[in-house]
Every structure is written in C-alpha cells, then in structure tokens.
Amino acid sequence: MGTTQQVNDYQRIPPFVEIMDSTLRDGEQTNGVSFLPHEKLIIARKLLHDVNVDRIEVASAGVSDGEKEAVSMICRYAGRIGKLDRVEVLGFVDGGKSVDWIADCGGRVVNLLAKGSLKHCTQQLRKTPQEHIADIKSVVAYAAQRDMSVNLYLEDWSNGMKDSPDYVYQLMDELTDTPVARFMLPDTLGVMNPLQVIEYFRKMIKRYPQVHFDYHAHNDYDLAVSNSLAAVLSGARGLHVTVNGLGERCGNAPMASVQAILKDQFHAKTNINESQLNGISRMVESYSGIAVAPNQPIVGEYVFTQVAGVHADGDSKDKLYYNELVPERFGRKREYALGKNSGKANIAKNLEKLGLELTPEQTRRVTQRIIELGDKKEIVTQEDLPYIVSDVLKHDAPEDKVKLVSYVVSTAYGLKPGANVRVEINGQQYEAGATGDGQYDAFVKALRYIYKKYLNRTFPILANYQVSIPPGGRTDALVQTVISWHYNDGILRTRGLDADQTEAAIKATFKMLNIIESNKNEK
C-alpha cells in the first residue's frame, strides 16, 4: 500500500518545474530593503543570463518613478536578449491602470493580483464574488487587447481553501476559459503545512487538470521549502522563490534550497545553473544589506566547512562524510575549520593546501596550539597556520618582508579621517598619506598609493571586513578583525587581534601582505 502510494506520488511530479524568482518584487518587501534601479538591473541580468531562472517578477505597478525606471531598464535588456516574456510585473484589478503602466515600461506580462479568499473579497474589496470576477475578466480582456500575457494570483488562496473553498472554485470555474496563462496559488500569510498543501493542491488539480498552477510560499512557520516541495509532489508546475529567502515578514522560499532538494530528493528538472547560486546570493546580500546566516544551506559561509577532525579524517578515506551537496557543484570549495575540535586530520588538510609538510610529532604540537587558541574562543584561519607553525616549532622562519615602520591616524570634526604610513618592503622604506571614509580606509588608501606609485603593483581589493569581540568575551575584551581580500581569483582571509579595532585591522592587513610577498618570492 505504502509503496503504491509513493509511486503514485512521484508520478504526479512534473517532468520539469518552472522557477520564478520574485527577489525584485516580493523580496524587496523585506523590511529595510530597497534596491536602486541600476541594482535591480544588475540582479535581473544575473538571474536571467547566469542563473537562468525561467521568469523574474521585478516590481509592483505604479509604485514610483524610480520603480518605473527600473522596470523599463530591465525590459529593454530582456528584449535585447530575447527574454522579454520572462519579465513579469505585479498588477492590480484597477480597470487597466496597471496594464497601462506595465506597457509603458515595455513589459509584456502582468501578474494580476486577485482575491483568493471570500474574506478578502468581501471585507477588503467590499464586493461580491461575482462583482470581483467581472472586474478580473475586464482587466484580463484589456490586457489581451494590448497584446499582454496574464498570470493570475489568487491572494490568500491558502485561507480561501481552508475557509471558503466554494468561493475558490467559483473563481476558477469562471476564469479558466479566459486567456490566463498561469494560476498562481500563494500562501500569503504563511499558514500552511505540507499536508495541507498536498490536500489543497490535489483538489485543485483534480478539478482543473489542464491548468498550469504555480505555488508561492511564505516562511512564517519555517515551512516555505517543505511546502514548495509538497506542491511539486502534488503536481504544481511552477514555484516562486527569492534569493536568500528574502521577503515580507519571515521571507519566501530560498532559491538555492528549493533547487537542491528538487534535484537531489525528487529528481525534478529545472533550468537553474547551480554554479551561479552562490554568486547571486552574494550579490543580493550586498545590495540588500541583509546578511546571509553562516549556516544557511548551500550559500552560508560555514556550510562547506568541516569542523570535527573525524570528518576531515573520513573525507580522506573515500569521502565518508560527503553527500550530494558537494561545494564544487555550487561554485564553492570545501574547507576545514581550525579550532579546538579540529584534530590532526583538519590540520593536515589545511597544511596540505598550503604545501607545508610536518612530521607527526610536529603536527601534534601545532594541533595542540590550535586547540589552546580555540579554548580561548579565538578564530584561527588557514592563513594563520604558517605563523603558528613558526611560533610553535621555533623555526628560523624568514623575516617578514613587509613591515610597518610607523603610522599616524587622525580624525577631527568636519574633516575626513587621515593616515600617514611608513612601511618597509623587502628592505626599502616608503611613506605616503591619504584621507578616507574612516581611519582604516585612509590607512589602506595610503598603502594602495605606495604599492601603485613605488612598486607598480596592484593592491588586493577588500572583499569583507568583520569586527567582533571574540565569542564569550566582554565588552572590554580584545577586538577581533577578520578581513577577506580578492587575490588571484580567490579569497585570502587573515585575522588580527588587538585592544584597538584599527590596530587589529592593520595586523590582519600586514599578515595578508606578507603572505602575498612570500608567494611572490617563491614564484
């Protein structure tokens, strides 16, 4: 019985699942998020060209002049690459005003927002179902006259199926003969669980087997991904997602998680280019200002980092701790954390990446030192390893090639912070001054000037800058600064620890410069 049911379930999975990304519309409804027009264009370009989503929903009609500019830019770009039909804009049952607004932007697809529950129809619109249906038909007909395609949202459909299914069926019965391409079923308030999704979707598909249904999840109960997959399991042909799960309240279903589970668990087909998921995540994280949790599946900073030494040991023995979510699949690399849980296997993996070979006894001593640092809640990065090795084993390590001789940083009311820096590079001293947006920014600009003017060399580009009190510390504890730099098509990350934030950042910077200088001299 169970096996037969499972076979029937999987037979309902469409051979192909359409992915519609709503980052630029629903995702922008995240509290505090507002994309500039050029940012919207850049994100849209990456979604359409690199990530290869099937459709993007980019705005709500009539919001602002800035929104109109953004939609127009996106439509012009999409038209040039033959993907204008993939650009969609949310419109309203407003007698055709939204249709005109979208058409003026060059758009060809309107996602019309209708009421999917009797309560919303009668209490928000103050209309009878028949009046609302007549209004919908009027807008759909007008869009057809303007040669525009229409998809129809049934807003609050989840509560509609729960409290007023007859109203939902009345709506569908009246509208399935209209030129609506897709009926999009949202859990607007995020109240559903997977069992309800399966129940309601099967009822819809049984009554309207030829209709293309999309599902639009919200994550209020942390079930957006599960509910999306339940919808596919029940025959939904399309899913709505956002990058990093952005969206109102608790957000929407995150694209990366939905894609990975569709492919690995259900063997469903999509057009998504998985190698671009991390890139679009970083881009949206930057433009939105909403940080991705380090343990967020697929795109979080730590998700491909093995911490336990036993896991690193297992990876060396026929990849015992691997699953299908290999980092290379998503354009990433596996890392092995350094800390009190590392063990010799983690240390060995990191030493191997650096090309350092130690005896078992030397590895044991380095491991012990890293464990001691971990007990103090200090972060150890791979780039710290050569210094730890030198310190612990008392090697006659070559002297630093890049030294800070002296520096002065200053700040004053009404003036930009400044820095004067004197450094020694390979025995030669150089000096420069600069101003910046902060003391550290001024310091780096002075260094950048020295490298460009005197050495004719490119200074690495700052990728990320994190300042924190070491976990478990007090407000008067040491400041920990971890800085990431773009270098040689990769990321170089170093750490500084000091009572002063600027000094900690400077220490991390000079670690980075000495690593680069050592690599340069080795070559």
Side-chain angles (χ1 to χ4, degrees):
M1 179 79 175
T3 303
T4 302
Q5 182 63 49
Q6 188 179 48
V7 170
N8 290 338
D9 285 345
Y10 278 87
Q11 285 175 344
R12 290 189 178 92
I13 298 174
F16 174 81
V17 180
E18 220 176 47
I19 301 296
M20 189 271 266
D21 180 89
S22 187
T23 303
L24 299 177
R25 198 279 299 174
D26 214 0
E28 197 179 28
Q29 291 178 201
T30 305
N31 185 32
V33 173
S34 179
F35 298 115
L36 297 172
H38 78 273
E39 293 174 338
K40 280 201 164 192
L41 175 61
I42 292 170
I43 293 171
R45 286 168 64 109
K46 191 165 185 68
L47 286 168
L48 287 174
H49 184 268
D50 297 340
V51 184
N52 199 35
V53 296
D54 299 289
R55 298 146 51 203
I56 57 174
E57 189 176 45
V58 300
S60 298
V63 169
S64 66
D65 291 338
E67 199 79 330
K68 195 166 191 176
E69 179 187 356
V71 175
S72 299
M73 291 165 62
I74 292 170
C75 287
R76 284 195 297 271
Y77 164 74
R80 287 197 300 271
I81 64 171
K83 295 184 177 180
L84 184 56
D85 61 333
R86 298 191 184 193
V87 177
E88 302 171 7
V89 180
L90 184 72
F92 307 95
V93 181
D94 54 11
K97 293 179 183 178
S98 294
V99 172
D100 290 337
W101 190 93
I102 297 166
D104 287 346
C105 296
R108 308 307 310 156
V109 183
V110 54
N111 288 345
L112 192 60
L113 188 68
K115 299 302 181 182
S117 69
L118 182 61
K119 184 182 291 186
H120 271 223
C121 177
T122 58
Q123 295 187 22
Q124 188 173 38
L125 296 183
R126 304 291 183 184
K127 293 195 174 186
T128 66
Q130 204 57 51
E131 287 173 331
H132 186 40
I133 291 168
D135 291 341
I136 296 169
K137 286 183 174 181
S138 175
V139 176
V140 171
Y142 181 66
Q145 290 175 16
R146 298 215 58 173
D147 196 28
M148 294 180 68
S149 178
V150 178
N151 302 315
L152 189 70
Y153 272 115
L154 301 187
E155 186 184 16
D156 200 37
W157 167 80
S158 47
N159 279 319
M161 289 298 291
K162 175 174 164 288
D163 302 326
S164 53
D166 289 341
Y167 166 80
V168 177
Y169 300 145
Q170 179 184 1
L171 214 63
M172 291 296 302
D173 290 344
E174 293 270 5
L175 295 172
T176 48
D177 290 335
T178 64
V180 172
R182 301 173 183 86
F183 286 81
M184 306 192 295
L185 310 180
D187 182 13
T188 304
L189 300 180
V191 297
M192 300 182 81
N193 64 54
L195 295 179
Q196 291 171 316
V197 173
I198 291 172
E199 177 189 352
Y200 298 159
F201 247 92
R202 288 181 178 173
K203 287 179 178 178
M204 296 292 286
I205 288 172
K206 184 177 180 180
R207 290 179 68 105
Y208 312 102
Q210 304 307 315
V211 170
H212 176 120
F213 287 115
D214 280 3
Y215 179 65
H216 181 105
H218 278 265
N219 202 38
D220 296 68
Y221 282 95
D222 205 18
L223 290 171
V225 173
S226 298
N227 286 343
S228 296
L229 299 171
V232 170
L233 187 65
S234 305
R237 298 190 201 174
L239 291 177
H240 297 186
V241 299
T242 60
V243 177
N244 299 337
L246 289 183
E248 197 166 20
R249 304 186 312 276
C250 301
N252 296 25
M255 181 197 298
S257 298
V258 168
Q259 165 61 24
I261 300 176
L262 279 177
K263 181 177 180 181
D264 295 355
Q265 306 292 340
F266 289 168
H267 309 293
K269 304 293 184 184
T270 72
N271 281 327
I272 298 295
N273 180 355
E274 293 183 337
S275 68
Q276 297 296 319
L277 290 174
N278 190 58
I280 189 65
S281 172
R282 299 281 78 78
M283 176 183 287
V284 170
E285 178 182 41
S286 175
Y287 286 154
S288 69
I290 304 296
V292 174
N295 61 341
Q296 174 90 2
I298 314 301
V299 296
E301 182 181 357
Y302 299 161
V303 296
F304 296 117
T305 299
Q306 300 281 40
V307 174
V310 66
H311 292 172
D313 180 60
D315 288 349
S316 299
K317 297 172 180 176
D318 200 25
K319 300 180 178 179
L320 296 180
Y321 289 90
Y322 276 35
N323 57 23
E324 290 186 80
L325 299 174
V326 293
E328 291 76 15
R329 171 178 162 188
F330 305 104
R332 303 187 63 184
K333 294 180 180 179
R334 190 174 300 279
E335 296 183 1
Y336 295 89
L338 297 170
K340 65 181 180 180
N341 295 314
S342 299
K344 290 185 291 184
N346 265 23
I347 308 300
K349 285 282 188 182
N350 282 280
L351 290 171
E352 182 183 317
K353 286 185 177 182
L354 292 171
L356 296 174
E357 294 184 10
L358 301 181
T359 66
E361 173 58 22
Q362 290 171 333
T363 301
R364 184 194 67 77
R365 290 168 60 191
V366 171
T367 301
Q368 184 58 40
R369 176 60 176 146
I370 290 173
I371 290 172
E372 290 171 3
L373 291 170
D375 281 336
K376 295 177 181 178
K377 306 281 189 179
E378 293 193 23
I379 293 174
V380 180
T381 70
Q382 188 187 71
E383 289 77 17
D384 289 322
L385 261 183
Y387 297 93
I388 294 173
V389 169
S390 297
D391 178 55
V392 171
L393 304 184
K394 309 300 182 189
H395 284 171
D396 294 326
E399 201 174 358
D400 284 347
K401 301 293 183 182
V402 184
K403 300 177 182 177
L404 178 62
V405 178
S406 63
Y407 78 93
V408 175
V409 292
S410 62
T411 183
Y413 180 77
L415 298 175
K416 275 196 164 190
N420 289 308
V421 180
R422 178 179 293 175
V423 296
E424 182 181 306
I425 304 173
N426 292 319
Q428 180 68 43
Q429 289 195 8
Y430 307 94
E431 187 172 343
T435 59
D437 294 328
Q439 291 182 345
Y440 178 67
D441 183 53
F443 185 91
V444 170
K445 283 181 177 177
L447 283 177
R448 194 181 301 279
Y449 178 84
I450 290 170
Y451 270 72
K452 182 177 181 181
K453 179 176 180 179
Y454 299 113
L455 304 179
N456 194 29
R457 285 165 54 183
T458 301
F459 198 85
I461 302 298
L462 186 68
N464 196 15
Y465 180 102
Q466 296 177 318
V467 180
S468 65
I469 295 171
R474 305 182 309 277
T475 54
D476 59 350
L478 293 175
V479 174
Q480 176 177 269
T481 305
V482 179
I483 306 181
S484 301
W485 305 84
H486 291 293
Y487 175 66
N488 278 357
D489 298 323
I491 294 290
L492 186 60
R493 189 168 62 248
T494 51
R495 166 192 153 277
L497 199 66
D498 197 88
D500 179 78
Q501 176 180 325
T502 302
E503 185 69 24
I506 289 171
K507 286 181 178 179
T509 303
F510 273 79
K511 281 187 181 182
M512 174 271 295
L513 292 175
N514 275 290
I515 290 169
I516 291 175
E517 205 64 33
S518 297
N519 292 342
K520 180 175 177 292
N521 292 336
E522 287 175 6
K523 293 177 182 177

